[in-house]
Amino acid sequence: FPSQSDKTLKFPVRGTTVFLVAADGAVLWRHALPSSLKSMSAAKQSLIESINELLPQTQCQRCGYKACLPYAQAIVLENEAINRCPPGGHGGIEKLAQVTGRPVLALDESCGTEGPLQLAVVDAQRCIGCALCLEACPVDAITGAFKFMHAVIESDCTGCELCLPSCPVDCIQMASPEPQIPWTNHRAAQARRHFERREQRLKETIRKPGSKLRQQLPVDKEGLLKNALARAKARQEPAQLKPKPR
């Protein structure tokens, strides 16, 4: 899998894109389906689903879209190129070419390069329990809670790398499993279920009267890092011996 790079995320231009912004300024996106999807032919709807089924469902955003489904929609509705999915690789491009009737293209390397699956690993000694990576993971593959150590559920991780920039202490690394784990149709289907389940949960949270979409977590990463380093330093200092009571 390629390294995650900063990109401007795109959406199919037809219809409406809604952005939810939290009080702390964080953008919590919610992409409304393009209005054209409501009136499009059954054939186009079927083609979008077929393309989405062929995509690896890593939800990595390397294609420039927020998830696999918006990319599938853009291919059908906006004639987006079919060679923007590094996790799918050349084999995925061939499948997309077959279902869309388009020519096979070389992978667009501006989106990344094809490579073996890598999984996220949390360094338990450095994790400060900020819970920011839990919010970043699109498939709920990270377990833990605020002020508690986090861990990656290897069987659920898609290798999307979206958790890396969220960590203020850089305690998450990508590692190649031994032996290598192939990205199978089963893992893709599982990732899609987890992603859709998470999206549904967020949607229901938004709809609940008086509910908050996010936990009230620290968002000042610089301050969070400073406090965490101070706590770590304090733990390393030898404890002073208390005088024994007489």
Side-chain angles (χ1 to χ4, degrees), residues 130-153:
C130 68
L132 297 177
C133 59
L134 274 69
E135 298 181 14
C137 181
V139 293
D140 287 338
I142 303 179
T143 183
F146 184 47
K147 293 187 178 180
F148 288 87
M149 189 190 75
H150 310 326
V152 176
I153 305 172

Side-chain angles (χ1 to χ4, degrees), residues 233-245:
K233 183 178 179 180
R235 288 197 301 267
Q236 293 174 357
E237 292 178 352
Q240 296 182 354
L241 296 178
K242 295 182 180 180
K244 295 182 180 180

Side-chain angles (χ1 to χ4, degrees), residues 41 84 95 101 137 163 212:
S41 66
R84 298 183 60 82
K95 293 177 181 178
C137 181
C163 57
K212 296 181 180 180

Side-chain angles (χ1 to χ4, degrees), residues 35-48 76-77:
S35 57
S36 55
L37 286 180
K38 300 176 182 179
S39 59
M40 76 168 61
S41 66
K44 284 189 176 181
Q45 294 182 27
S46 177
L47 180 57
I48 289 174
V76 175
L77 300 178

Side-chain angles (χ1 to χ4, degrees), residues 90-221:
H90 184 73
I93 295 173
E94 289 182 330
K95 293 177 181 178
L96 291 176
Q98 184 176 8
V99 76
T100 60
R102 302 185 192 179
V104 175
L105 302 173
L107 178 65
D108 185 344
E109 294 191 355
S110 69
C111 300
T113 56
E114 185 177 2
L117 172 66
Q118 290 190 315
L119 303 178
V121 179
V122 176
D123 185 340
Q125 298 300 319
R126 298 170 60 192
C127 177
I128 60 175
C130 68
L132 297 177
C133 59
L134 274 69
E135 298 181 14
C137 181
V139 293
D140 287 338
I142 303 179
T143 183
F146 184 47
K147 293 187 178 180
F148 288 87
M149 189 190 75
H150 310 326
V152 176
I153 305 172
E154 292 186 1
S155 60
D156 294 347
C157 180
T158 68
C160 70
E161 301 185 10
L162 294 177
C163 57
L164 298 184
S166 72
C167 181
V169 294
D170 294 328
C171 75
I172 307 175
Q173 303 293 330
M174 303 304 294
S176 299
E178 292 292 342
Q180 288 186 0
I181 301 175
W183 190 255
T184 62
N185 290 336
H186 172 74
R187 286 185 71 104
Q190 173 181 271
R192 179 177 178 177
R193 288 195 303 271
H194 292 176
F195 174 75
E196 292 177 347
R197 180 181 63 191
R198 180 177 186 271
E199 289 296 289
Q200 183 62 33
R201 186 181 72 248
L202 293 177
K203 184 187 301 183
E204 292 174 353
T205 302
I206 294 172
R207 291 175 177 174
K208 289 180 180 179
S211 66
K212 296 181 180 180
L213 185 61
R214 294 162 54 112
Q215 300 179 40
Q216 295 300 312
L217 301 177
V219 293
D220 179 6
K221 290 190 176 183

